[in-house]
Amino acid sequence: MNWKAFAAMLARDAHVARRNAIQLFLQTFLQPLLFVFIFGRVMVGSGYLPAAYKSLLLPGIIAISMVFTGIWAVAMPLIAEFQWTREIEDRLLAPIGVAWIAIEKVIAGMLQALVAGLIVIPLAWLVLRPGVEISIGAPWTFAGVIVLVATFSACGGLALGCSINQQHIGLMFGMVITPMIFFGCTYYPWSALKTFPILQKAVLINPLVYASEGLRATLVPQFPHLSIKVVLMALLLFDLVLLVVGLRQFEKKAVS
Amino acid sequence: MAVGVRTQDLRKVYSTAPPLGAAGLFIARADAKGGKQPKTQIPALDGLSLDILPGEIFGLLGPNGAGKSTTIGVLTTRVRPTSGQAWIGEHDVWKEQTRVKHLIGVVPQRPNLDFSLTAREILIFHAAYFGIGSKQRNERADALLARFKLTERANQMVRGFSGGMMQRLSIARAMMHDPQVLFLDEPSAGLDPQTRILLWEIIREYHQTGRTVLLTTHNMEEADTVCQRLAIIDHGHVIALGTPARLKASIPGGFLLRLRFGNQTADLLQRLQLLAGVREVRAADSTGADVYADRGGSLIPEIASLAANSGAELSDVHISEPSLENLFLHHTGRSLRD
């Protein structure tokens, strides 16, 4: 393992992220904040939704922001660099094992997802206040959840970015990402699906469910949520499976 | 100490489309069995063995789709061979990839510069991937930017660079970590004549520091003036190998006269063979003949009268002097540009 090369690649990704900071910021936060404003302020303020919805919504918004930052940060450059600009070849020729280049991408994606989560919390709180009741009762569990969520997003980005054809990016958003958000228990708790028993079972294959429910369990435990043990196990499983799939796909793309 | 390059019996069959830069291969279809769809099998290398000496400028010459880019791909860890072996120095390319990557610098056929960075940052980060210290990488980047006449554009994003500038920067990047073996895939394709001469100068200069250079080209002049030894490859294997001078000398007679007649008879070909200085006569389709001979223009009157006597009117003559183009034609019956 060549740590110098690994660190240099991370430095390169940090440098590029810094250069595109404003664009990244708008791309990551504008949509969730508009959603927070409309549903948390307008709908609650006008009495169509109960005041408690503000607190219920926040964990879901954090989950969406983190997951899509991570997926976007890893998948989009990989799709472009492998299929179009071939930019990644410079790093594929660096003196480091090919799998480590993929792992570097995952670490960079995780860091971006964590930063997105940490920024969206105060931003959403600013838009929603007053009346948001967050309490981090178990900080270590919370930390565990957000690290697993960040890892899931980056590994998901790796698997998608190395599997999807450039001309199918639109399809990826329509067919994978949009249903994932709407069936991801982001805007409602999982327990709200109990009147749709089949759907309630079916959404359990959606990793975003565990991200939203995990954040709900650790930030707003006063609402019903999935057991934290189930959440941690499921996230860990998704992380591992997506990492293995992603690494395999990456190596297939890297060597013809 | 200079490092050599060796391949032994390399074979590569693509079952999907070959990577960019190795496109344009001939396509063969494997037999369909059990009602399955026929699978596209694209053979790119067919038992390619090369022995490139340490400190030599070696050229791979061949038409598009001959297997040049695939050979470079295998030697630079980017294409896994179906069978056979490749070594950089004493290191097996596929067993000691990281070690091999330290020793090589690669200039791809199509620029693959990091579009998110400026020209200078591209060089600096590249050196950082190779563990070169900050002071040294800054110095080296400045020197290479100056050498490649890019200093003025050093702090601009490369997105707006012209093709020639991107190519120069790609070469500078490949030299940043001072590799023992420099690979250049079609380095002068798309370059203007001035830049091409600068490029050749730089390749020779780099070679003088004891480095090995392997380049691919289908440009005769480049192969002739830059390379110390050449392998002419076609359909994935070597068809001729040697110094440019020796290769050219191996063409029978040296001169090639491509003749075209109104009509042509077997008798005519036999009589052409008997002319003084003619070494070899080959029928080229139904109305033409390729004549390899020791002399060029002075043969024409004799050929013309011979043709007139046998009732075949000479309609076109093209004379070329000893060249690698003729050598390729002699071995394959096809022109390099076909």
Side-chain angles (χ1 to χ4, degrees):
Chain A
M1 171 56 190
N2 180 346
W3 288 108
K4 271 189 183 168
F6 192 83
M9 288 181 195
L10 266 181
R12 181 259 172 208
D13 284 350
H15 185 76
V16 172
R18 250 200 324 271
R19 175 167 282 153
N20 304 328
I22 294 175
Q23 189 193 330
L24 277 175
F25 187 87
L26 291 174
Q27 180 184 305
T28 311
F29 300 118
L30 193 60
Q31 204 189 349
L33 289 181
L34 287 175
F35 198 92
V36 165
F37 178 72
I38 298 298
F39 283 84
R41 282 301 277 273
V42 177
M43 300 290 273
V44 172
S46 55
Y48 286 103
L49 287 169
Y53 186 65
K54 286 187 179 184
S55 312
L56 184 74
L57 181 60
L58 187 63
I61 294 297
I62 299 169
I64 292 182
S65 304
M66 286 185 70
V67 168
F68 294 103
T69 302
I71 289 184
W72 188 278
V74 181
M76 297 307 280
L78 282 178
I79 293 173
E81 291 186 17
F82 266 126
Q83 298 178 38
W84 181 34
T85 62
R86 320 285 307 166
E87 283 167 62
I88 199 159
E89 286 177 357
D90 185 28
R91 276 150 278 156
L92 293 176
L93 287 170
I96 187 170
V98 166
W100 286 106
I101 302 165
I103 290 173
E104 185 277 327
K105 285 274 162 206
V106 169
I107 302 277
M110 271 176 74
L111 292 175
Q112 289 193 48
L114 284 172
V115 170
L118 294 179
I119 292 177
V120 86
I121 295 175
L123 281 180
W125 181 79
L126 276 176
V127 175
L128 286 171
R129 98 208 133 84
V132 185
E133 288 161 26
I134 309 179
S135 59
I136 304 180
W140 288 109
T141 318
F142 173 69
V145 169
I146 63 165
V147 168
L148 285 174
V149 170
T151 313
F152 149 65
S153 70
C155 294
L158 180 69
L160 275 178
C162 297
S163 315
I164 284 192
N165 222 315
Q166 194 184 322
Q167 57 265 45
H168 296 150
I169 294 176
L171 205 62
M172 168 175 102
F173 277 92
M175 301 294 288
V176 181
I177 305 229
T178 310
M180 207 164 132
I181 296 181
F182 283 97
F183 294 116
C185 299
T186 46
Y187 305 134
Y188 50 87
W190 183 71
S191 57
L193 290 173
K194 63 175 178 292
T195 45
F196 308 90
I198 296 173
L199 184 63
Q200 196 180 29
K201 296 277 184 312
V203 297
L204 290 176
I205 60 161
N206 181 356
L208 190 55
V209 169
Y210 303 96
S212 314
E213 288 285 295
L215 287 165
R216 213 162 269 137
T218 48
L219 286 174
V220 288
Q222 67 270 33
F223 292 102
H225 53 75
L226 283 174
S227 128
I228 191 72
K229 265 191 199 146
V230 170
V231 165
L232 292 174
M233 296 282 286
L235 283 175
L236 196 62
L237 187 71
F238 276 112
D239 288 0
L240 285 174
V241 170
L242 288 170
L243 182 65
V244 170
V245 171
L247 285 177
R248 221 190 57 192
Q249 292 293 101
F250 186 89
E251 292 198 34
K252 259 194 212 167
K253 286 262 179 198
V255 178
S256 45
Chain B
M1 207 188 86
V3 167
V5 176
R6 202 151 59 85
T7 72
Q8 195 186 334
D9 210 16
L10 277 186
R11 281 177 47 75
K12 175 67 184 174
V13 179
Y14 290 104
S15 54
T16 52
L20 281 166
L25 302 153
F26 59 96
I27 295 176
R29 285 193 180 274
D31 286 340
K33 280 180 188 165
K36 278 189 185 166
Q37 285 289 313
K39 198 176 172 190
T40 306
Q41 294 270 316
I42 306 168
L45 294 182
D46 188 15
L48 185 100
S49 299
L50 286 173
D51 197 350
I52 297 159
L53 304 174
E56 143 173 270
I57 305 184
F58 192 92
L60 289 178
L61 180 68
N64 288 331
K68 305 187 298 289
S69 292
T70 302
T71 307
I72 297 246
V74 170
L75 286 168
T76 58
T77 76
R78 296 303 319 287
V79 176
R80 189 181 291 278
T82 309
S83 65
Q85 276 180 293
W87 295 267
I88 302 286
E90 73 265 31
H91 305 284
D92 186 311
V93 175
W94 286 91
K95 289 188 185 130
E96 300 168 82
Q97 285 189 34
T98 310
R99 187 78 209 101
V100 163
K101 288 190 216 172
H102 262 296
L103 293 172
I104 61 172
V106 185
V107 181
Q109 190 170 347
R110 217 184 76 169
N112 57 2
L113 298 168
D114 198 331
F115 276 5
S116 316
L117 302 176
T118 66
R120 196 159 189 286
E121 286 168 350
I122 284 175
L123 300 185
I124 300 282
F125 275 110
H126 179 88
Y129 302 155
F130 283 83
I132 296 169
S134 151
K135 183 166 175 280
Q136 205 185 353
R137 63 184 183 233
N138 278 301
E139 285 171 4
R140 208 175 277 178
D142 289 335
L144 282 169
L145 286 165
R147 183 72 187 92
F148 284 84
K149 304 192 190 335
L150 288 165
T151 308
E152 278 176 26
R153 306 291 292 265
N155 294 315
Q156 294 178 12
M157 304 294 282
V158 293
R159 208 173 278 276
F161 278 26
S162 70
M165 286 163 70
M166 287 200 196
Q167 181 71 336
R168 265 143 56 200
L169 187 61
S170 296
I171 300 166
R173 183 182 64 182
M175 290 179 171
M176 261 312 270
H177 60 288
D178 200 16
Q180 289 293 329
V181 185
L182 186 63
F183 291 90
L184 302 110
D185 197 357
E186 303 272 355
S188 61
L191 290 187
D192 58 77
Q194 258 177 327
T195 315
R196 192 170 296 173
I197 289 165
L198 171 72
L199 167 73
W200 293 347
E201 206 179 287
I202 286 167
I203 292 175
R204 287 200 200 96
E205 218 177 77
Y206 196 70
H207 163 252
Q208 273 160 15
T209 62
R211 303 294 189 258
T212 310
V213 178
L214 175 58
L215 62 88
T216 73
T217 183
H218 56 224
N219 179 316
M220 295 299 149
E221 194 194 346
E222 184 164 73
D224 208 354
T225 58
V226 181
C227 301
Q228 295 169 318
R229 275 201 314 151
L230 284 172
I232 298 186
I233 63 174
D234 190 33
H235 291 326
H237 56 253
V238 177
I239 56 177
L241 181 89
T243 63
R246 187 173 294 175
L247 283 172
K248 281 188 285 189
S250 73
I251 309 166
F255 287 89
L256 167 64
L257 294 89
R258 310 203 79 180
L259 312 172
R260 197 156 283 281
F261 302 100
N263 54 27
Q264 178 218 80
T265 57
D267 175 51
L268 175 63
L269 292 184
Q270 273 169 17
R271 290 169 70 182
L272 283 171
Q273 184 81 64
L274 299 175
L275 290 174
V278 170
R279 306 284 290 269
E280 194 178 323
V281 178
R282 290 187 185 183
D285 62 54
S286 59
T287 58
D290 287 344
V291 175
Y292 293 88
D294 304 341
R295 53 199 178 110
S298 62
L299 262 173
I300 301 299
E302 295 165 46
I303 291 173
S305 73
L306 211 150
N309 288 341
S310 38
E313 197 186 333
L314 185 61
S315 62
D316 189 36
V317 180
H318 181 264
I319 306 171
S320 46
E321 294 192 0
S323 74
L324 293 167
E325 175 84 43
N326 293 353
L327 177 72
F328 188 79
L329 192 84
H330 182 253
H331 279 286
T332 65
R334 289 181 294 122
S335 157
L336 259 171
R337 285 175 190 82
D338 280 351

